[in-house]
Amino acid sequence: MTDQTSRRPSKQRLDIQGLRTIAVGMVIVYHLFPVLLPGGFVGVDVFFVISGFLIVGSLVREAVKTGQIRLLAFYARRIRRLLPAATAVLLTTMAATVVLLPQGRWPSVAKDVMLSALQVQNWNLALGSTSYANATAIVSPVQHYWSLAVEEQFYIVIPLLLMAAAVFAHLFKRGKEMTCLGVLAVITVASFIHSVVFSASNHDIAYFASTTRMWELGLGGVLAILMPKFSLRRTSGVVAGWTGFALVGISAVVYTTTMQFPGSIALVPVAGTMLIIAAGSNSLWVPARYSLTSLLGLSPITYIGDISYSLYLWHWPIIVFYVFRLGHPLRMHDVIVILALSIVLAVLSYKYIEQPLRHGQPIRTPAGRRFNRALVPHRTAYVLGAALLALSCTAALGPWLIVQDKIEQNNRVINAVDYPGALAFDAASPHQVKPGLPVRPDPAVATQDGPMTDKAGCNQYDPATVPDTSCWFGDLSGHSSMVVIGDSHAAQYVDPLVDLVEPLGWKVRAMVRNGCPFSTAPASSGGVALTNCSEQNKASLEKILALHPDMVVISGMTPQAYEAALHWHWQDPRELVSGYEALVKPLIAAHIEVSVILDNPYPVVSVPDCVALNGPVSAKCQTPASTTNDPVDPLRQVGADIPGVRVVNMRHYLCQQNICPAVIGNVMVYRDNHMTNTFAKSLAGPLGAALGL
């Protein structure tokens, strides 16, 4: 999301203001109706080109005219222009989080607010896009700050390089403008090549990385340098404008998030934006009545462009909070409310925050001299920036510390008599549940109550890199051994199994990898086969055969759960069954005892959030058993097909009378689609009996 130019030319390009309206409109429609405009995210690319055209163009003109770039003045203008409105939204978002969201969401939002204030939210999202733990997390109300971070990282680098180019040109008697163009062209080409290559290998990270986006801003700057050297005729301008509009519009309608974006396909909306800007470049003629340039210059359209920065900042947190509290998909009247609230806040932000702090108001000194706040020494802007940054971080720190205190409380050992967990559903001898006790783990920290494999860094097992001496638990000197293998749903059973077998003199090896079922059949996502997991499993099998443990325990998510959580799928359920069996049969042939644990029910809501908002016994937080029964669980079929494989089904400890409660035996059952570690450990006794231990 771009800001408006830090120093407007004497004659403002109204068509560019109108182009901002198109860009922010596409983004908002995409966020509200992703099915209607699946590629509306290209509005951000439009903003990048506009920003490069205006900001880089002004920097080059300054370098050519004066031989230098006043860096302190440039960054001071950026601070005054961007930070006040951005900080106002961050502070409001943090306050709304405390008021509207459960405490369990406070730490993640606090972290995002701080990283957004520090202008590194894009890298936070880039790294998080590959994190399995983030796959089912609530969307951040400030995730849209990633585009601001990309721009600011670009503008930390590019003024320095352009200034160096101007100095070089002066020393070696070269043309300053062409030298700046050459430097900009090198950066643009390098970034574009990187974008194409990286988007093909990992477009989730490439989407947010600043290095894959710099070429879009760079092309805007190249256009600003070259455009004065060419003059479009009136007819050519009309054709260029509407052609550019068609390219941007087609991208917004056709593109989807599964594509290798930005990559080479981002050239289409970028080229379209450049054509639209070029169409309005000729100041010697009046645009044709029905040209795009003329339409974009209409007052209602340009006004939305004026407030587009604030509108971009406000609309997304409003959508996130509204949808979270609504609890169901948006209806038309909800959309109207969201749009109205976004526009009202954008207008107020533009009028009372953006404009006053950007341009300043005339003030009078005691001696009667008038001057503009915007001309106050640049150190004032830097003091303002530091103060706003500190304010955002301080506002985020308070809620984060509150939850950290609850984590410390939750780490205390709980009384198994008062908190029987799964044993409250024991068919033979159900444990009594003492009423009136607080739920453990507390809903505020339940999402962090994961297994020891997460804490020990053993949740990404790779047979090629993890030493054979790593990720062992239990009695490490014991002569009996067990291997637990599968995805993160298999990792849920490491702690209860260790509690169970350590007193018996067993050691347990965790060979678990998030998102990797123990199968040779790769899942696919967006038409791409995820083969790395299946290849690693073949190597893991060789490791297990060499180890020859007393027992191998396998568990994993069902195909339905993978589709719900990660949008991964197998074309044929039998394909996954065959993939499991290809690895299980050699274990049975080697006379290794194999047990498979069927997957736990998949909750239909965020259980910790629901319990925090509605209480532990609310029907809203329950999962109907009818939605969790999976008659084609591939592990169930493996047990039926291969003699000697023990099938363990723990679902009757999680569901009764066709209902799977959110809290059982005073213990929170789920942290997301995984069981809390506290509840999983309460399964140790029943699990041991089912495994024949």
Side-chain angles (χ1 to χ4, degrees), residues 31 154 191 197 227 236 254 263 267 385 399 404 430 452 458:
H31 287 156
F154 178 76
S191 173
V197 174
M227 199 171 65
S236 300
V254 173
L267 271 173
Q404 286 300 116
M452 66 173 74
C458 294

Side-chain angles (χ1 to χ4, degrees), residues 192-213:
F192 177 73
I193 293 173
H194 172 57
S195 179
V196 172
V197 174
F198 199 29
S199 296
S201 61
N202 200 327
H203 75 273
D204 289 333
I205 298 179
Y207 186 89
F208 297 109
S210 52
T211 52
T212 61
R213 296 288 192 162

